Amino acid sequence: GAGVSQSPRYKVAKRGQDVALRCDPISGHVSLFWYQQALGQGPEFLTYFQNEAQLDKSGLPSDRFFAERPEGSVSTLKIQRTQQEDSAVYLCASRPSGGMAHEQFFGPGTRLTVL
Amino acid sequence: QKEVEQDPGPLSVPEGAIVSLNCTYSNSAFQYFMWYRQYSRKGPELLMYTYSSGNKEDGRFTAQVDKSSKYISLFIRDSQPSDSATYLCAMSVKTSYDKVIFGPGTSLSVIP
């Protein structure tokens, strides 16, 4: 596929469960971003990877959130002990090497609902 | 106060109308200014971007940046029902990886 893909598209979790959200960036894209988009809000930055290195995780809301990109391609965002306030759409975006701010491409998102 | 403010709407206009969408921001270091369109249950897609102040036109869309007022606008001419979506302004400071900050978005409906 040519675009960024995310799976699952929808996830329902009971409060306290752990979840893992996957992002497949565009092939060859060095930069990868995760965002959280609450209902009626814009995307909020969570974390940034350059290849396998996590260079900025300042947006992760708590230590229950963890992201990895071990081989510099696919990334996983993990949320432990989910809470109702974690309900949101989680967006992944990738950007090519040397790309500028506007050159990030978004996936369709994973809609997480915590009951 | 959030770094980027945007009227959430919803905004409803008749087909063919001119639409004006606006954002204000507080960080004078922002240099890149972008507008994204987001359809329901889809990821944001880039509409337009500008670097620093000025105007940029692309078809029915015009983006304006006024850095002195910390104010950016997107104008849509001859609006179409297919323009119905949420419009997100976004901006970034020039850094090693150009972290992007988004506004909350304005929901637009164009009525046939």
Side-chain angles (χ1 to χ4, degrees):
Chain A
V4 178
S5 61
Q6 293 186 245
S7 60
R9 290 294 315 277
Y10 302 91
K11 178 70 179 177
V12 178
K14 292 183 180 178
R15 190 161 56 97
Q17 283 184 330
D18 298 349
V19 298
L21 313 179
R22 177 187 168 107
C23 172
D24 284 82
I26 293 172
S27 178
H29 277 196
V30 167
S31 298
L32 187 145
F33 301 82
W34 283 98
Y35 295 86
Q36 180 189 58
Q37 187 173 23
L39 187 65
Q41 298 297 314
E44 294 210 1
F45 171 84
L46 292 178
T47 188
Y48 163 67
F49 288 88
Q50 181 175 315
N51 295 305
E52 68 279 3
Q54 188 175 21
L55 299 186
D56 187 343
K57 53 181 181 179
S58 62
L60 296 177
S62 75
D63 58 9
R64 295 186 296 104
F65 287 71
F66 172 77
E68 60 183 4
R69 194 185 184 198
E71 297 177 358
S73 55
V74 171
S75 178
T76 303
L77 177 67
K78 297 179 180 179
I79 309 174
Q80 297 177 323
R81 304 181 304 282
T82 52
Q83 303 295 314
Q84 284 189 320
E85 62 262 27
D86 300 335
S87 295
V89 174
Y90 291 85
L91 293 163
C92 173
S94 70
R95 200 167 72 196
S97 177
M100 297 166 72
H102 64 280
E103 294 177 286
Q104 59 180 338
F105 296 87
F106 283 86
T110 294
R111 182 177 297 270
L112 172 65
T113 303
V114 182
L115 302 176
Chain B
Q1 183 189 9
K2 292 203 166 190
E3 278 191 285
V4 181
E5 304 273 5
Q6 186 176 6
D7 185 342
L11 185 60
S12 183
V13 301
E15 183 175 354
I18 296 174
V19 177
S20 172
L21 304 168
N22 310 293
C23 286
T24 59
Y25 62 94
S26 57
N27 187 349
S28 58
F30 284 137
Q31 292 181 295
Y32 286 104
F33 302 91
M34 295 151 280
W35 285 95
Y36 284 83
R37 179 174 60 195
Q38 186 174 27
Y39 291 113
S40 180
R41 303 189 184 277
K42 302 283 188 183
E45 56 177 346
L46 181 72
L47 268 180
M48 298 190 71
Y49 73 95
T50 55
Y51 177 70
S52 198
S53 283
N55 294 358
K56 188 172 184 179
E57 187 173 322
D58 184 1
R60 296 184 296 111
F61 299 89
T62 300
Q64 290 184 349
V65 174
D66 181 350
K67 290 193 73 178
S68 62
S69 302
K70 297 191 181 69
Y71 188 88
I72 71 170
S73 301
L74 177 71
F75 298 95
I76 307 174
R77 290 181 297 281
D78 187 25
S79 55
Q80 302 295 309
S82 58
D83 295 329
S84 298
T86 295
Y87 289 80
L88 299 157
C89 63
M91 41 202 82
S92 74
V93 178
K94 182 60 182 166
T95 65
S96 60
Y97 66 93
D98 295 347
K99 179 177 174 179
V100 177
I101 307 298
F102 285 86
T106 298
S107 176
L108 171 67
S109 293
V110 180
I111 311 302

